[in-house]
């Protein structure tokens, strides 16, 4: 069922929310006014509450500040307008074509693992090879909604199997920090704090620096037979989403980083 998100209006007035987004994007009032094609004086009045923004201006400012669709609805609500961006269940008929596209991508990536996750890093769907990565993970962590980051870094999850846990942890926490900065999502802030509290006996680098010959940060796993499997990943998103569900969906596909891993995954799949 497709509905516009109509979560209760935020306590902050529109001007305060706009100022917060300018701060997150490090955009001055002057630069935003020039980009949006409005006077600095009018934008100042909007931020201080002395002027009410038009619906068009709210959408324009959200576009120029690259505010996620979910938060653009919050801006509209704060300004006194109805939300315009829908949040449709992936199982709804309206998203049937998109759902088929996601499943085709996941299936086509076999025999290698691939997952589709939402903005909160909860698993939406995965292909059959994902189970290869989850051997030994506590069943408690696999219960829906299964959070991919929690499963990866939790001591009862994949963490004991990750050979380069410190390096991979730094990589994932760095990605999550960037998403917090991009979205301002309090749920992601809470998830980041939770993950930071997980134990890690390895050194966690503050900055990702390549070793000689490195071109990506690999995920190095200890297989069931004691062998080491090495993967790198790519992330795909919908190019022009106008629905919140699609805008927040991403597909991460894992590829073998060496020939031995490719042979081991193919043999496991067979």
């Amino acid at each position: 069922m497709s509905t516009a998100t109509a979560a209760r209006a935020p306590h902050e007035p529109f001007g305060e929310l706009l100022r917060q987004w300018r701060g997150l994007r490090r955009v001055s009032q002057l630069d935003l006014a020039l980009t949006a094609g409005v006077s600095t004086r009018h934008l100042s009045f909007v931020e201080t509450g002395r002027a009410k923004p038009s619906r068009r201006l709210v959408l324009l400012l959200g576009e120029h500040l690259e505010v996620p669709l979910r938060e653009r609805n919050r801006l509209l609500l704060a300004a006194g307008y109805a939300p315009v961006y829908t949040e449709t269940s992936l199982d709804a008929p309206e998203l049937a074509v998109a759902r088929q596209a996601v499943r085709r991508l996941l299936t086509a990536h076999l025999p290698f693992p691939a997952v589709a996750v939402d903005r909160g890093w909860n698993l939406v769907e995965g292909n059959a090879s994902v189970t290869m990565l989850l051997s030994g993970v506590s069943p408690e962590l696999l219960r829906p909604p299964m959070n991919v980051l929690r499963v990866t870094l939790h001591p009862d999850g994949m963490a004991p199997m990750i050979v380069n846990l410190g390096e991979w942890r730094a990589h994932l926490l760095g990605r999550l920090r960037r998403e917090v900065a991009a979205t301002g999502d309090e749920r992601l802030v809470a998830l980041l704090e939770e993950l930071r509290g997980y134990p890690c006996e390895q050194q966690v680098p503050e900055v990702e620096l390549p070793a000689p010959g490195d071109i990506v940060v690999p995920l190095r796993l200890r297989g069931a037979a004691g062998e080491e499997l090495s993967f790198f990943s790519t992330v795909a998103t919908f190019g022009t989403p106008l629905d919140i569900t699609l805008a927040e969906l991403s597909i991460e596909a894992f590829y073998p980083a060496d020939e031995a891993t490719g042979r081991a995954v193919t043999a496991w799949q067979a």
Side-chain angles (χ1 to χ4, degrees), residues 58 62-63 66-76 85:
V58 174
E63 174 73 21
E66 298 182 358
V67 177
L69 301 189
R70 183 182 298 277
E71 280 70 32
R72 290 187 204 183
N73 275 349
R74 290 187 67 226
L75 287 173
L76 286 164
Y85 298 102

Side-chain angles (χ1 to χ4, degrees), residues 72-152:
R72 290 187 204 183
N73 275 349
R74 290 187 67 226
L75 287 173
L76 286 164
L77 284 167
Y81 301 105
V84 298
Y85 298 102
T86 59
E87 184 175 9
T88 310
S89 169
L90 199 59
D91 294 328
E94 298 94 319
L95 293 190
V97 174
R99 185 170 63 250
Q100 290 170 6
V102 170
R103 288 175 177 168
R104 284 194 186 109
L105 282 172
L106 296 176
T107 302
H109 193 62
L110 289 170
F112 308 115
V115 295
V117 298
D118 62 19
R119 186 167 88 172
W121 286 84
N122 297 308
L123 181 71
V124 174
E125 200 156 336
N127 66 14
S129 288
V130 172
T131 56
M132 181 182 188
L133 306 180
L134 302 178
S135 174
V137 172
S138 168
E140 293 288 330
L141 294 172
L142 300 180
R143 291 178 179 173
M146 186 186 107
N147 188 277
V148 172
L149 292 187
R150 184 177 292 118
V151 166
T152 303

Side-chain angles (χ1 to χ4, degrees), residues 188-201:
L188 293 182
V189 173
L191 179 61
L192 179 60
E193 289 304 308
E194 176 189 338
L195 299 179
R196 279 173 171 165
Y198 291 168
C200 180
E201 296 180 356

